[in-house]
Each structure stands twice: as C-alpha cells, then as structure tokens.
Amino acid sequence: MIALLRKQLRTNPLFAFNLVFRDRWVAQQAASLPAGTRVLDVGAGSCPYRPLFAHCDYRTQDFTGLKDDQLRHGGYGQIDYICDAAAIPAPDASFDAVLCTEVIEHLAEPEKVINEFARLLRPGGRLMLTAPLGSGIHQEPHHYFGGFTPWWHRRVLEAAGFESIHVEANAGSFRFFSQESLRFAAGTMPFRRLPLLPSLLWLPFWLLLLPVLAGLIPLAAALLDRYDREQRFTIGYHVTAVRRAAAPVLGTP
C-alpha cells in the first residue's frame, strides 16, 4: 500500500510536477525525432527514457560512480559509454541528437561538456538539455552547482557553436513554492528527523499544518502558476539548441 502511494505521488503533477513535466517534455522531444535518429543520452543513469527512443538508434553514457539508492530506478541501465562526459570516445559528428537531463550540475566543468556535445553532434543536430535553477544537495559528493540561469545557457551554448537556442521554465515560481512547502512538511515530520521530545511538542502543530502545506498550498500554486510572468524562482529549465554548421571557407564553392 505504501509503495503504491509513493508511486502515485511520484506521478501526480500536483506533488511531483518537476519530474512529471520534465518526463512529458522529453517524451515530446523524442516523438519529434524521425525513426533511425542517432541519439546519445548523456548521464543516462537508470535509462528511464530508453522506451521513448525505441524508434531511434539510442546510445547511453554515464560514469557509473553513484550508488544504487542515488539513482532514479535503483541501479544503472545498460550504459554504452562508461567514461567522463567531457571525453566520450566517439568520432566527431557521430550523433543527430544529444539528450542530457539534470546532469550538468553534477559535472565539475560543465562548459567543457557542452563543448563535447557540440563535437559529437552533426551540423544541424539537436541538443535537448535540462538543468535546475535551484536544487538542494543530492547525489553527493558529485554535486557542484546550485543551478543555471537562462543567460548561462545562452552564453555557453552560443560560444560552443549552437544556434536556435530555446530556454523554457519548468513551471513558475508558485509551483516552486509548492515544492518547498511539501519538502518542509516531509522534512519536519515528527519522529523522522527530530528527536523524541521536539517531535512530541511539534506533532500537534504539524498535524494542523499538514493539510495546508501538503494540500492547500500545492493546489493554490497549481492554479496561480499561470499568472507568474517573471518566473524568478522556477525549479529549472528545458533547453533545446541546434548545432550550427561550420562557416564556409572564403574562396570555396
């Protein structure tokens, strides 16, 4: 029963919008690729997106240095390239598309990895990238950056040779606030992290606040999020970019 409840919560956009919306976005990207597209999933981990790319020539990369409980599905999937993401042993222009979801914050030199994506993509190839704007420490000790802004994405991608850069927020600030409300409710659950006496004192207040923190605020946030125009506290961004073709050498046809 508890396992079923957890599964329902992980697939409900009211309580797990970050993951649900990101999975939808990846599914849309995958569906838009023609059959036979050569795709490299960088930092693939458990390979949760493999079924979405069944119509493609799908390859995976990861450094495989995390513990099973640090991965989405409790272990690594089939990894084709076990290596540093900044030095993937594949020839230039080997792929038509590169997917990289929630990975670059775990890389000590993310700009080098973006340059590697540019090397691996053919001219006109597509990069599909997601990264947080703000996140708590996770998958430690391999977590080096708190997040990336739209201006970082545009500057680094342009410098690496990408064009047609599109950056969209994964929901707005109100949704972000709802996530933190849920995190507060879970993190202050009596007898979970608090010692016995503080738990006993906090329990009645926690029970009174729980419907607000885990019910009213997420619901209100979902309804109000469409009115957030600035999106300064969004959870993260979904980014697409196209590998720019090399400029022709002057004097050549």
Side-chain angles (χ1 to χ4, degrees):
M1 180 64 71
I2 294 177
L4 179 61
L5 178 60
R6 287 178 177 173
K7 182 178 180 181
Q8 290 296 322
L9 290 176
R10 285 197 300 267
T11 57
N12 189 315
L14 194 64
F15 303 108
F17 78 90
N18 182 30
L19 180 62
V20 172
F21 290 177
R22 182 167 65 248
D23 285 354
R24 288 178 184 173
W25 181 82
V26 174
Q28 291 168 358
Q29 294 296 317
S32 71
L33 296 176
T37 297
R38 299 168 298 169
V39 178
L40 176 64
D41 187 347
V42 176
S46 300
C47 305
Y49 299 123
R50 182 183 293 277
L52 299 178
F53 294 91
H55 63 296
C56 298
D57 181 2
Y58 175 80
R59 297 288 183 268
T60 56
Q61 178 280 335
D62 210 300
F63 83 132
T64 66
L66 295 176
K67 300 175 182 177
D68 287 351
D69 61 3
Q70 292 179 301
L71 294 161
R72 179 171 174 179
H73 293 305
Y76 282 98
Q78 178 185 334
I79 304 299
D80 298 296
Y81 299 100
I82 300 176
C83 61
D84 185 339
I88 298 172
D92 295 356
S94 293
F95 298 95
D96 304 305
V98 167
L99 174 69
C100 182
T101 59
E102 309 300 289
V103 172
I104 60 174
E105 71 271 24
H106 300 291
L107 305 174
E109 297 178 290
E111 294 189 22
K112 284 188 176 181
V113 178
I114 297 296
N115 287 328
E116 180 71 346
F117 296 164
R119 182 188 72 81
L120 291 168
L121 280 167
R122 64 167 177 80
R126 185 194 308 179
L127 174 62
M128 301 166 287
L129 174 70
T130 78
L133 175 64
S135 67
I137 293 174
H138 59 288
Q139 295 186 345
E140 60 269 25
H142 305 286
H143 189 182
Y144 306 109
F145 296 92
F148 302 87
T149 70
W151 294 274
W152 185 92
H153 288 297
R154 293 188 181 101
R155 183 187 69 82
V156 171
L157 289 169
E158 287 176 0
F162 287 93
E163 60 187 5
S164 301
I165 300 165
H166 180 69
V167 182
E168 64 180 73
N170 184 3
S173 302
F174 294 110
R175 285 277 197 176
F176 175 83
F177 300 150
S178 75
Q179 174 186 266
E180 297 313 301
S181 177
L182 290 164
R183 196 190 307 277
F184 179 80
T188 61
M189 182 184 296
F191 311 109
R192 182 183 179 188
R193 294 181 180 176
L194 300 176
L196 178 61
L197 181 57
S199 290
L200 290 172
L201 295 172
W202 173 240
L203 178 60
F205 298 100
W206 185 83
L207 290 173
L208 286 171
L209 288 171
L210 185 60
V212 176
L213 295 171
L216 182 59
I217 290 178
L219 180 59
L223 296 173
L224 294 172
D225 202 60
R226 70 189 70 182
Y227 302 111
D228 177 24
R229 303 296 182 225
E230 295 185 349
Q231 298 181 324
R232 291 183 176 272
F233 290 93
T234 182
I235 189 69
Y237 295 97
H238 300 162
V239 182
T240 56
V242 175
R243 179 69 171 94
R244 188 167 54 238
V249 178
L250 293 178
T252 62

